[in-house]
Coordinates of all heavy atoms in Angstrom, one line a residue:
G178 N -128.8 -57.4 -17.8 CA -127.5 -58.2 -17.7 C -127.6 -59.5 -18.4 O -128.7 -60.2 -18.4
S229 N -124.4 -57.7 -41.4 CA -123.7 -57.1 -40.3 C -124.5 -57.1 -39.0 O -124.0 -56.8 -37.9 CB -123.2 -55.7 -40.6 OG -124.4 -54.9 -40.9
A239 N -131.7 -69.7 -37.1 CA -132.4 -70.7 -36.3 C -133.6 -71.2 -36.9 O -133.9 -72.4 -36.9 CB -132.7 -70.0 -34.9
E242 N -132.7 -73.4 -40.0 CA -132.2 -74.7 -39.6 C -133.3 -75.6 -39.2 O -133.3 -76.8 -39.6 CB -131.2 -74.6 -38.5 CG -129.8 -74.4 -39.0 CD -128.8 -74.0 -37.9 OE1 -129.1 -74.2 -36.7 OE2 -127.7 -73.6 -38.3
A250 N -136.4 -84.6 -43.0 CA -137.2 -85.7 -42.4 C -138.3 -86.1 -43.3 O -138.9 -87.2 -43.2 CB -137.6 -85.4 -41.0
S253 N -141.4 -84.8 -49.0 CA -142.5 -84.1 -49.7 C -142.6 -82.6 -49.4 O -143.4 -81.9 -50.1 CB -143.8 -84.9 -49.4 OG -144.2 -84.5 -48.0
G261 N -134.5 -67.2 -50.4 CA -134.1 -65.9 -49.8 C -135.3 -65.3 -49.0 O -136.5 -65.6 -49.3
C285 N -142.2 -59.9 -33.5 CA -143.0 -59.9 -34.7 C -142.2 -60.6 -35.9 O -142.8 -61.4 -36.6 CB -143.3 -58.5 -35.1 SG -144.7 -58.4 -36.2
C315 N -138.5 -62.0 -26.2 CA -139.1 -63.3 -25.9 C -140.4 -63.2 -25.2 O -141.3 -64.0 -25.3 CB -138.1 -64.2 -25.2 SG -137.8 -63.8 -23.5
D335 N -133.5 -73.8 -21.8 CA -134.5 -73.6 -20.8 C -134.7 -72.1 -20.4 O -135.3 -71.8 -19.4 CB -134.0 -74.4 -19.5 CG -132.7 -74.0 -19.0 OD1 -131.9 -73.2 -19.7 OD2 -132.3 -74.4 -17.9
N358 N -139.4 -38.1 -23.7 CA -138.5 -37.8 -24.8 C -138.5 -39.0 -25.8 O -138.3 -40.1 -25.4 CB -137.1 -37.6 -24.2 CG -136.1 -37.2 -25.2 OD1 -136.3 -37.3 -26.4 ND2 -135.0 -36.6 -24.8
D401 N -153.4 -63.0 -7.4 CA -154.4 -62.5 -6.4 C -155.0 -61.2 -6.9 O -155.8 -60.6 -6.1 CB -153.7 -62.2 -5.0 CG -153.1 -63.5 -4.4 OD1 -153.5 -64.6 -4.9 OD2 -152.3 -63.4 -3.5
A469 N -152.1 -48.7 -13.4 CA -153.1 -48.3 -12.4 C -154.4 -49.1 -12.7 O -154.6 -49.4 -13.9 CB -153.3 -46.8 -12.5
R476 N -158.4 -39.8 -13.3 CA -157.9 -38.8 -12.4 C -156.4 -38.6 -12.6 O -155.8 -37.6 -12.5 CB -158.2 -39.3 -11.0 CG -159.0 -38.2 -10.2 CD -159.7 -38.9 -9.0 NE -158.7 -39.6 -8.2 CZ -158.3 -39.1 -7.0 NH1 -158.7 -38.0 -6.5 NH2 -157.4 -39.8 -6.3

Side-chain angles (χ1 to χ4, degrees):
S229 56
E242 269 171 15
S253 71
C285 201
C315 74
D335 57 350
N358 185 340
D401 300 343
R476 241 161 52 107

